[in-house]
Amino acid sequence: MQPPPILPADLPQLNRALHPMPKAPVRIVHLGLGAFHRSHQAWYTQQASDAAEWGIAAFSGRRPDAADILAAQNGLFTLVQRSGKGDSFELVGSIAEAVDGADLRRLKELVASPQTSVVTLTITEAAYTPDEANGGALESATPLGRLVLALAARREAGAGPLAIVCCDNLAHNGTVTRKAVLALAAWPAGQAGAFAGLSEWIDANVSFVSTSVDRITPRTTTADIELVADACGYRDAAAVITEPFHNWILSGSFPAGRPRWEDAGAVFVDDIAPYENRKLWLLNGAHSILAYSGLLRGHKTVAEALSDSACRAAVEEFWDEASQHLPMRLGIPEYRAALLERFGNERIAHLLTQIAADGTTKLRMRSLPILAAEREAGRSGDGAARMITAWLAYVTSAVEFQDPRAGDIKNALNRRGRERTAALLALLSPELASDKAFVERLDSQRSTLVAASAHNL
Ligand SMILES: NC(=O)c1ccc[n+]([C@@H]2O[C@H](COP(=O)([O-])OP(=O)(O)OC[C@H]3O[C@@H](n4cnc5c(N)ncnc54)[C@H](O)[C@@H]3O)[C@@H](O)[C@H]2O)c1
Ligand SMILES: O=P(O)(O)OC[C@@H](O)[C@@H](O)[C@H](O)[C@H](O)CO
């Protein structure tokens, strides 16, 4: 928990009275009002030439805090673009309404409105895992459970089709969202009332758009809020710090329309797979390697870890493997060079602990596909395996870690030696965990890594 910012008592609070900016009518509903939504979708929507027609109602996730803070500022916040050279400050006003995620009544009302055409999501990867998404039932405390209840209200209101746009770092994120939403809507089998035939209605009326989203946005710190106050002369507890780089690739239809996000550089493609693989493997995969191996070697941020030759070598080894499975027409060498520059931006303090969270979900997408492809090609896949090794060593040594399968990880940690390695690996891939030779290789990689890390500390 960050200490509260120290700001002059007479500093005015940012809101639309202090900085008049018109509010657009709500036509987009967003779930997961975190830092990334503010730096990405809210910013793209503000840049669209038809921004005046597209307001966002953004719902917080587990707690009301983010919504309360933003509501007190009438949805206004400052976006700080932080390059290696300096900061630039921009006011973003596309969020017309900020709502506590537990306010199901308002969510249903907005999703059931014929004005609403798009629902966007940044609810983290873990929110789509079967346990979290289903909870064994149509659990209204989960974001997808809430979404399904709101879709039932839309059907009831006859408000017509709409698009759901997943902006979480997941492979095939549109398909994953569709599957999770349809499964929830169909539960329990043979439902009555508002849910009878709901999954069929969703299937026919809701388009699930797939996206690859990119803009490195660390959690805002107390120091960032103090900096914004100093530079802008107001209190802004919802400010967000991000890099100048931004990218959004989308694939799918928008049956009720959408903002002209292409005005800010969004690209619409037929086949998203190569783009999402490039981003998930090269950027997010490298982030995971830097997070686990960097934390083991005593680093705190991405830039610090990248400047450690051992961490950098592990990234390059993984990139060499991943690049073999990406189309060269996507400019892979240039993409890698640009990533080194982005990761090396020391002014963006991207904490490794934030990236290290939810490893069981992330590694399945960031390491396993490359490992499988390399093994299929008759090679070792050692670079992809090293990402898993670093995760194993991290969860073994960390005092605290966040993961949707934390209980299973703790159970596995009660074992010793190769049995422990196999039990942890089984949480990512039961098939690999039953391959004795692979477990042995992982175990010996782990010993080497732990010894080298201890030497560095
Ligand atoms: N931050 C980035 O650089 C970045 C870049 C690309 C994509 N993303 C995607 O956006 C997601 C969110 O990132 P962020 O930086 O905004 O994080 P954040 O922690 O600032 O916000 C996450 C939001 O999701 C909610 N949430 C999290 N888990 C939930 C759950 N299980 N149920 C309900 N709500 C839940 C939180 O309450 C919060 O509103 C990431 O997980 C990732 O998939 C982030
Ligand atoms: O946001 P997560 O938790 O999926 O992953 C952590 C980072 O790898 C991620 O946020 C990147 O910074 C982001 O994907 C860059 O666009």
Side-chain angles (χ1 to χ4, degrees):
M1 186 86 155
Q2 295 276 333
I6 304 165
L7 303 177
D10 57 347
L11 210 61
Q13 182 176 42
L14 174 63
N15 55 38
R16 288 182 204 255
L18 188 71
H19 274 283
M21 275 182 105
K23 262 190 196 180
V26 171
R27 295 186 63 195
I28 301 174
V29 169
H30 179 78
L31 302 190
L33 174 48
F36 182 60
H37 171 61
R38 302 205 290 286
S39 77
H40 194 268
Q41 304 92 58
W43 181 84
Y44 269 90
T45 302
Q46 162 142 314
Q47 305 304 313
S49 52
D50 53 359
E53 296 163 33
W54 291 92
I56 302 172
F59 287 75
S60 62
R62 292 189 171 112
R63 293 193 310 272
D65 318 16
D68 291 348
I69 289 169
L70 206 53
Q73 299 182 182
N74 314 122
L76 269 195
F77 65 92
T78 313
L79 181 121
V80 182
Q81 287 199 45
R82 179 161 289 173
S83 73
K85 295 197 185 86
D87 292 340
S88 69
F89 301 82
E90 182 181 353
L91 271 183
V92 177
S94 53
I95 299 186
E97 199 176 322
V99 194
D100 175 0
D103 188 347
L104 200 52
R105 187 197 56 79
R106 186 66 182 139
L107 180 68
K108 285 180 177 173
E109 196 168 79
L110 283 170
V111 173
S113 158
Q115 272 206 126
T116 298
S117 307
V118 178
V119 173
T120 51
L121 306 173
T122 55
I123 50 181
T124 79
E125 294 91 318
Y128 302 81
T129 54
D131 283 354
E132 185 69 33
N134 295 322
L138 188 53
E139 168 57 75
S140 65
T142 68
L144 293 183
R146 289 170 182 165
L147 177 59
V148 168
L149 294 172
L151 288 173
R154 186 173 181 94
R155 179 181 65 157
E156 181 72 21
L162 93 172
I164 294 182
V165 186
C166 174
C167 300
D168 279 300
N169 286 326
L170 293 164
H172 326 298
N173 60 9
T175 311
V176 170
T177 309
R178 176 176 177 275
K179 230 172 117 187
V181 164
L182 290 179
L184 276 170
W187 190 96
Q191 346 78 320
F195 298 100
L198 181 61
S199 58
E200 289 77 6
W201 181 85
I202 292 174
D203 205 18
N205 288 279
V206 179
S207 154
F208 291 87
V209 176
S210 279
T211 65
S212 171
V213 286
D214 194 2
R215 191 167 211 183
I216 294 174
T217 310
R219 212 155 276 153
T220 305
T221 65
T222 306
D224 296 329
I225 291 175
E226 286 166 1
L227 173 115
V228 170
D230 206 34
C232 304
Y234 52 65
R235 286 167 192 274
D236 178 0
V240 67
I241 314 293
T242 193
E243 59 175 345
F245 179 92
H246 53 88
N247 184 260
W248 199 1
I249 300 177
L250 303 96
S251 183
S253 66
F254 288 83
R258 61 165 174 84
R260 285 186 49 86
W261 288 318
E262 58 269 44
D263 296 337
V267 177
F268 293 82
V269 297
D270 290 332
D271 179 14
I272 199 157
Y275 299 94
E276 73 181 12
N277 289 342
R278 181 181 65 174
K279 197 263 171 172
L280 275 175
W281 296 346
L282 298 183
L283 190 156
N284 297 111
H287 259 177
S288 290
I289 293 175
L290 292 170
Y292 303 123
S293 59
L295 286 166
L296 286 168
R297 292 170 67 82
H299 304 303
K300 288 200 168 59
T301 66
V302 170
E304 271 173 36
L306 188 73
S307 66
D308 178 334
S309 57
C311 298
R312 163 90 182 254
V315 167
E316 297 276 5
E317 182 190 21
F318 174 69
W319 279 353
D320 287 346
E321 289 178 357
S323 301
Q324 310 248 24
H325 309 286
L326 288 167
M328 277 301 149
R329 68 180 161 81
L330 291 189
I332 303 305
E334 296 77 10
Y335 191 87
R336 284 170 60 161
L339 282 183
L340 288 176
E341 200 174 322
R342 293 170 66 197
F343 289 173
N345 180 353
E346 288 171 350
R347 300 188 66 251
I348 294 266
H350 201 179
L351 293 182
L352 299 174
T353 44
Q354 184 180 350
I355 298 167
D358 302 343
T360 54
T361 312
K362 291 177 183 173
L363 262 54
R364 265 186 248 136
M365 289 171 283
R366 299 178 184 190
S367 168
L368 295 191
I370 306 302
L371 186 58
E374 283 291 280
R375 282 158 66 90
E376 176 82 25
R379 295 186 290 267
S380 69
D382 269 349
R386 245 180 269 287
M387 191 192 306
I388 301 177
T389 307
W391 171 74
L392 293 174
Y394 166 75
V395 292
T396 306
S397 67
V399 182
E400 258 184 78
F401 55 83
Q402 183 195 310
D403 197 282
R405 302 196 63 183
D408 295 326
I409 294 176
K410 284 184 185 143
N411 285 340
L413 290 177
N414 287 329
R415 304 182 186 212
R416 289 279 161 269
R418 234 163 259 170
E419 259 193 47
R420 172 192 280 180
T421 302
L424 287 169
L425 182 59
L427 300 176
L428 304 178
S429 162
E431 194 192 328
L432 281 174
S434 63
D435 178 339
K436 275 196 175 146
F438 184 72
V439 172
E440 207 167 299
R441 210 168 72 242
L442 221 52
D443 212 41
S444 92
Q445 268 192 3
R446 193 185 59 80
S447 311
T448 314
L449 178 73
V450 170
S453 304
H455 181 70
N456 187 60
L457 288 173

